[in-house]
Structure formats: structure tokens, C-alpha cells
Amino acid sequence: MKIPRQILQKLKIDRLNPMQEVAFESINRHKEVILLSPTGTGKTLAFLLPIIAKLDPEQAGLQVLVLAPSRELALQIEQVAREMGSGFKVNAAYGGRKIAKDRAELAHTPSILIGTPGRLADHIRRGTFSCEGLKYLVLDEFDKSLEIGFEKEMKQIIGAIPQRVSKILTSATYGVEVPAFVQLKEPELINYAQEANKQLEIRRILSPSKDKLKILGASLRHLGPKSGIVFCNYKDSIQRVSDFLTAEGIDHACFYGGMEQKDRERALIKFRNGTHRLLLATDLAARGIDVQALDFIIHYHLPSRAEEFTHRNGRTARMHEEGAAYVLQWEQEPLPDFVGELAIQTLEDRPVPEATNWQTLFVSGGRRDKISKGDIAGLFMKKGGLKADKLGLIELKNDCAFVAVSSPNIDKVLIKLDQQKLKTKKVKVFLV
């Protein structure tokens, strides 16, 4: 089976990386595959591409079921699957939204369904869709699902699918034990987990006091207008750090498990499109979120386990790009063995970096209204009077869209576009 070049062209990818090429061949040849590869190496495309190449366009009903440990990862996989433009119907189902909304979307069963174990198990119990024609089951970041406590739901799902189904398991961590209930017999192992990231530089920044807020502020001033994530261990700490950064005039967004799903999604959107350069997050952001090309990450708190240290660091220096990770260390604080020996980073006293020149607008129309990204770009440039370089990233959802616009143009765009007609729908446009 040949790699479908037309899909790569749609994704604007010249060629697959070595891991993806090996995965394509292996998934094509073997019924069971375990794919281990670091965060940021393109595992989503690595399993979707060979699966989609083998699906039957004439078969009605569900052919692929993908389990993801978080809503963000489920949405990311859905986005990649849609951008591939394969012609197969794709949907995501996850907790945090009304089950009725899922059922409405699944009334016409998709070929590819992605979701969190809890929500998918619920749908299987309700009989929302049939797994009779299922060909592939993917457990993406399966170790994280087990860690979160989805074992019961995963057992229910695996017990409800035909035994003939091909299974693909992925993880960024080496040495994770696959539970017996997954029922693997002779899986093919693709192991890139130990690949050294030569682009990543890890340093420590010493704090003279146990309270590391001041040294965090100094670190962010030193790093300047770059994009990065500051990792904290607890959501209460995030609130305290966020209050400090706000007082210091350092623009940022927050992302943690206790937030409403809508707020979490919008924080990531505004981080991706450049409205915010800095994301203050728990380990929820260590893997399974779609964020590209980070310049740095900072461990405000160190995680308790080596695996999470690796996953956090994997958010930067991705896909052959350079990046840096910094550990904030109180001078009297011993570092765990998994951190290793680190050089000390000295800081230059620099001014607070200015906020970005982008803001984000909400548009109340999406894919279900037959609206495309091109339609939105046309509206903003023709009726909104924007030049192309003043229009940033457009993220299209099922029922809405988010558009990055250069800040000086916001007011005039809002006046011109609110209540304008887009395709057949009159849309609301407002700042988020």
C-alpha cells in the first residue's frame, strides 16, 4: 500500500518522518501494533494515515474508534482527521458537554469516532452506535488513560467490540505495561521512545528564596517575547502565580482541569493563534494538546515522576526545532535524580515583554452551516476591509469559528462584520 500523497499535500507536508514511515508500513502489515514515540513527533498522523488508506468508502457505519485520555487530545485528533480531507465522516465525543449534543451529531454514524473512554463507554451502553462493522481500535496515550482511572470504561469498550478488530496502542513512554484486558496476542512494537532530543537544552535557574514568584518574573523578562508554558503542580498554585503575573503586567492564559471546558478550549485557541504567548498550566498540558513550536517551558514546580518531566519537556524542541526547558530551583532545594546535572542559567534584567499584537474574535457559524475557512477569510477581508497580513489563524469548529485579528483593526472589524451574512447565516462577531 502506497502512502496517500494527496493527503500529505492537503496537510502541506512534503514527506513523513522516519517514525511515521515505519508506522505506516507496520500498521499496514500487522493486526496489532504498539507505537512508542516522544511527544511532538507526529503520532496522530502516524496512525491515522495508514488506517484511512485502508477504510472502505462504501461501508456504512463505524469503522474506526479512537480512545483518548483527555478532551483536548480527542479534539486534536478530530482536527487532524478533518484536515486530512479523506471524505470519511469524523466526530468527537467527550465529557463536559451535553450527551444530547453527541447524540445529535452521531445520528448519522461517522466512519471515524474519537472520544474519551468515559463518554464512549456511556454511548455504547446507550446503544447510540454499533461496533459491528468496526475495523480499528486505537488507544492513544493508553498509559495516561489508565493513570487517570479509565480502566473500567476501557474494559467495557473492548468487551463490546468484535475480536477481529485491529488494535493500535500509542504512548510517549517506554516500559509501560499493557493490561491483559486489552487482549493483545503478538503485537508489533515500534519503539522510538528512547530517541534523544538533541535540540532540547535543559538548565536550572536558582532562586534565593523558597517562594519562586520573583525569580519566575525575572525569568520571563529575561526570555522576552517568546512562546512557552509554565508548569505548576496544582490548580491553586496556578491562581497564585496568575495573580502575580497579572500584577507584573505579564500577559498569559491559564489551563488546568478545574476550568470549564469552554474556557479551556478558548485558552488553547488564544495560545495557538498568538493572542497569548504564555500558558500557565498543570500537567494537563504536558501531552495531548495541539500546540506547535514552543520556544521554552519552565518547571515552576517539578513533577513527582520522571515520565511527566519527559512529557513536559517534550512540549518544546519538537520536530527538529530548537527549544529550552528551565527548572526553577530554590538554592536549598535538592533536585530528584531523574533531573540529572544541569547547568545554571544566568538572567539579564530586561523589561516586561509587550503583549502580542493579536486578539481573537468569535464567529457564530461553523462547519454545520457549510462555512469554510475560505468563507471566513473572504468575509473578513472583503467586508471587514482587512489586508491578508492583518488576518491570523482561523480555527473552524462545528458550530462556530475563532479568528485572530491584528489588534489595531479590532474595532472597525467588529463594527463592519457583526450581523453580516456568511453563506446563508447571519453571524454574530465579538471579542473573546
Side-chain angles (χ1 to χ4, degrees), residues 93-110:
Y94 49 88
R97 67 174 187 169
K98 293 179 179 179
I99 195 89
K101 189 171 183 180
D102 278 356
R103 297 189 73 167
E105 290 186 1
L106 298 177
H108 298 287
T109 309

Side-chain angles (χ1 to χ4, degrees), residues 77-122:
I77 298 167
E78 180 195 28
Q79 185 71 16
V80 173
R82 289 185 184 279
E83 289 174 354
M84 293 171 77
S86 64
F88 291 101
K89 187 174 187 289
V90 181
N91 281 110
Y94 49 88
R97 67 174 187 169
K98 293 179 179 179
I99 195 89
K101 189 171 183 180
D102 278 356
R103 297 189 73 167
E105 290 186 1
L106 298 177
H108 298 287
T109 309
S111 298
I112 304 170
L113 178 59
I114 306 121
T116 50
R119 180 53 63 96
L120 291 180
D122 189 9

Side-chain angles (χ1 to χ4, degrees), residues 5 23 26 46 48 67 72 81 110 129 149-150 169 184 194 224 279 288 300 304 311 339 354 360 367 419:
R5 297 293 171 186
S26 184
L48 280 179
L67 274 62
E72 286 72 28
F129 55 82
F150 282 132
L169 280 65
L184 293 187
Q194 305 289 37
L279 190 68
Y300 183 78
S304 59
H311 292 313
V339 173
E354 293 184 4
T360 302
R367 280 188 298 265
Q419 299 300 321

Side-chain angles (χ1 to χ4, degrees), residues 204-228:
R204 57 192 172 121
I205 299 173
L206 295 180
S207 172
S209 65
K210 190 174 182 179
D211 188 334
K212 295 180 284 191
L213 284 178
K214 287 186 178 180
I215 202 67
L216 173 62
S219 301
L220 294 172
R221 291 194 299 273
H222 168 83
L223 290 167
K226 296 181 179 180
S227 63

Side-chain angles (χ1 to χ4, degrees), residues 183-198:
Q183 301 175 22
L184 293 187
K185 296 174 183 175
E186 296 182 351
E188 175 76 2
L189 177 64
I190 305 171
N191 188 3
Y192 281 77
Q194 305 289 37
E195 290 273 306
N197 191 341
K198 296 178 181 178

Side-chain angles (χ1 to χ4, degrees), residues 258-322:
M259 296 172 65
E260 292 291 329
Q261 177 64 18
K262 179 182 75 172
D263 296 331
R264 274 164 52 175
E265 287 183 26
R266 292 187 179 185
L268 284 183
I269 288 167
K270 293 166 80 172
F271 185 49
R272 276 195 293 265
N273 70 21
T275 298
H276 299 298
R277 293 193 196 96
L278 186 66
L279 190 68
L280 185 57
T282 60
D283 280 327
L284 186 64
R287 50 177 164 168
I289 63 169
D290 183 18
V291 175
Q292 303 297 323
L294 293 186
D295 298 306
F296 68 89
I297 68 105
I298 293 177
H299 301 273
Y300 183 78
H301 298 128
L302 277 170
S304 59
R305 301 188 308 145
E307 289 82 2
E308 294 309 319
F309 185 67
T310 300
H311 292 313
R312 289 182 181 186
N313 293 337
R315 300 312 313 181
T316 186
R318 303 176 70 181
M319 300 295 283
H320 311 296
E321 296 181 0
E322 293 184 355

Side-chain angles (χ1 to χ4, degrees), residues 316-359:
T316 186
R318 303 176 70 181
M319 300 295 283
H320 311 296
E321 296 181 0
E322 293 184 355
Y326 301 96
V327 174
L328 300 192
Q329 179 191 13
W330 177 35
E331 290 177 339
Q332 299 180 37
E333 174 188 11
L335 294 179
D337 292 339
F338 62 74
V339 173
E341 293 292 327
L342 302 179
I344 296 175
Q345 174 70 52
T346 57
L347 304 179
E348 294 183 23
D349 189 16
R350 296 174 180 170
V352 172
E354 293 184 4
T356 74
N357 197 36
W358 295 95
Q359 294 189 64

Side-chain angles (χ1 to χ4, degrees), residues 121-285:
D122 189 9
H123 278 301
I124 286 175
R125 288 192 298 270
R126 292 169 183 261
T128 307
F129 55 82
S130 170
C131 294
E132 187 61 34
L134 194 69
K135 294 182 176 179
Y136 287 94
L137 173 69
V138 181
L139 307 183
D140 197 19
E141 302 284 6
F142 72 91
D143 56 312
K144 189 67 176 177
S145 291
L146 294 171
E147 191 179 292
I148 292 172
F150 282 132
E151 181 174 340
K152 178 182 176 183
E153 290 82 359
M154 292 169 74
K155 283 181 177 178
Q156 290 175 346
I157 294 167
I158 292 171
I161 65 175
Q163 291 190 357
R164 66 178 184 276
V165 168
S166 296
K167 295 171 184 172
I168 301 167
L169 280 65
T170 83
S171 177
T173 306
Y174 177 74
V176 178
E177 184 177 349
V178 179
F181 69 78
V182 181
Q183 301 175 22
L184 293 187
K185 296 174 183 175
E186 296 182 351
E188 175 76 2
L189 177 64
I190 305 171
N191 188 3
Y192 281 77
Q194 305 289 37
E195 290 273 306
N197 191 341
K198 296 178 181 178
Q199 284 75 33
L200 178 63
E201 182 179 19
I202 308 176
R203 291 175 171 262
R204 57 192 172 121
I205 299 173
L206 295 180
S207 172
S209 65
K210 190 174 182 179
D211 188 334
K212 295 180 284 191
L213 284 178
K214 287 186 178 180
I215 202 67
L216 173 62
S219 301
L220 294 172
R221 291 194 299 273
H222 168 83
L223 290 167
K226 296 181 179 180
S227 63
I229 298 178
V230 176
F231 282 103
C232 298
N233 287 348
Y234 312 104
K235 63 181 182 181
D236 291 345
S237 302
I238 284 186
Q239 188 58 59
R240 180 170 180 268
V241 174
S242 178
D243 290 344
F244 170 79
L245 295 181
T246 300
E248 291 287 298
I250 298 176
D251 184 55
H252 64 283
C254 296
F255 182 77
Y256 56 90
M259 296 172 65
E260 292 291 329
Q261 177 64 18
K262 179 182 75 172
D263 296 331
R264 274 164 52 175
E265 287 183 26
R266 292 187 179 185
L268 284 183
I269 288 167
K270 293 166 80 172
F271 185 49
R272 276 195 293 265
N273 70 21
T275 298
H276 299 298
R277 293 193 196 96
L278 186 66
L279 190 68
L280 185 57
T282 60
D283 280 327
L284 186 64

